Amino acid sequence: MNTGKVTLVSAGPGDLDLLTFKAAKAIAAADVLLIDDLVDDEITTLKAAHARVIKVGKRGGCKSTPQAFIQRLMRRYALQGRHVVRIKGGDALLFGRAGEEIADLRSAGIDVDIVNGISSGFAAAAGLGVSLTHRDHCQGVIFVTAHLRDGSEPDWATLAATGMTLAIYMGASRIDGISEALRKTLPVDTPAAVVQWAGTSREKRVCATLGEIAACAASENIASPAVILIGAAIGEGVAQLAARSESMCRLSA
């Protein structure tokens, strides 16, 4: 039997309307679907009748499917000649361990295709109605995870000093420490926002200053999965939320 292949499909932030045509075609052609926890369950309506669906949820702070087990499943089915589609939330190439999976599959002689998608950082900005970059405020955006593999944190001072918009993933449970660390470099009134379930029907958002954002997120019960946005460009979102009377926290007011 010929070796099959694996396609890493980016499912986007959760709204099926944001799924690309290429992703939908890959799902329809799959023999086996390995689906992340943050992916909309209705995505399985796009599969072929014969396709097998396996949930391989991975959530911070929750019971998760071990990464090594997921990689073994992909190798096993692909080596049986199956087309395996690994469906990841957001974009597969951003904080989805795609690098580990690609290396593992290629070492086994398995072909890998990649389908890009919309990351939750972009969905969060869209929900706020802001651009992550702005000629008047910053020249770029940095996508960063709130913790490294060994449990340590990034160099927040160096990141803050760039003047870029910071899009911080997997940081909801650490927002107190993150905001405190950033305040050592950034002004306390730097605009900030937290968006939970970005790009889905469950989306919740709160805007405040860097000095207030942690308390505001707690008062609004914002938790994982959430994206934290920090930077001057996010100030545009604060003004727009105020105009629309949506969730803005002003603890000092």
Side-chain angles (χ1 to χ4, degrees):
M1 180 179 292
N2 294 327
T3 300
K5 69 174 183 178
V6 173
T7 302
L8 303 182
V9 166
S10 306
D15 182 351
L16 290 187
D17 287 342
L18 297 179
L19 198 69
T20 66
F21 285 119
K22 190 172 184 178
K25 289 177 181 178
I27 292 167
D31 297 309
V32 180
L33 299 173
L34 303 182
I35 303 180
D36 270 353
D37 192 47
L38 296 179
V39 174
D40 190 325
D41 287 339
E42 290 192 9
I43 203 167
T44 58
T45 62
L46 303 174
K47 73 179 182 67
H50 72 275
R52 180 176 182 180
V53 177
I54 303 173
K55 296 289 187 70
V56 288
K58 296 184 72 63
R59 291 281 302 278
C62 302
K63 185 177 180 179
S64 298
T65 306
Q67 182 65 28
F69 178 71
I70 295 172
Q71 291 173 197
R72 284 200 301 271
L73 285 177
M74 288 191 287
R75 289 197 308 270
R76 177 193 305 166
Y77 287 114
L79 291 172
Q80 291 174 0
R82 312 283 187 88
H83 179 194
V84 180
V85 171
R86 168 87 159 100
I87 305 179
K88 296 171 173 285
D91 185 276
L93 303 183
L94 193 61
F95 307 128
R97 300 191 181 181
E100 299 170 41
E101 294 175 356
I102 292 167
D104 183 69
L105 292 165
R106 286 178 176 167
S107 70
I110 298 168
D111 289 336
V112 183
D113 292 333
I114 300 167
V115 179
N116 291 114
I118 297 173
S119 176
S120 57
F122 292 105
L128 292 167
V130 301
S131 174
L132 291 172
T133 60
H134 196 296
R135 289 192 299 173
D136 294 336
H137 300 300
C138 66
Q139 296 177 316
V141 56
I142 296 174
F143 298 93
V144 59
T145 177
H147 55 88
L148 306 178
R149 188 169 188 172
D150 62 3
S152 63
E153 296 194 10
D155 184 342
W156 295 116
T158 298
L159 292 172
T162 64
M164 306 288 190
T165 300
L166 300 181
I168 304 170
Y169 289 63
M170 295 170 278
S173 65
R174 302 184 179 207
I175 191 169
D176 288 287
I178 292 169
S179 59
E180 180 180 358
L182 290 173
R183 289 198 302 272
K184 295 177 181 178
T185 304
L186 294 173
V188 70
D189 61 352
T190 300
V194 185
V195 183
Q196 182 181 14
W197 290 109
T200 74
S201 60
R202 292 182 284 179
E203 181 171 307
K204 293 171 61 178
R205 60 184 83 103
V206 60
C207 286
T209 65
L210 182 58
E212 300 168 337
I213 193 63
C216 286
S219 70
E220 295 290 337
N221 296 314
I222 302 288
S224 178
V227 178
I228 305 167
L229 301 177
I230 308 287
I234 306 306
E236 302 279 337
V238 174
Q240 292 190 31
L241 283 178
R244 299 200 303 264
S245 298
E246 293 190 26
S247 183
M248 257 184 48
C249 183
R250 281 289 176 265
L251 295 177
S252 61

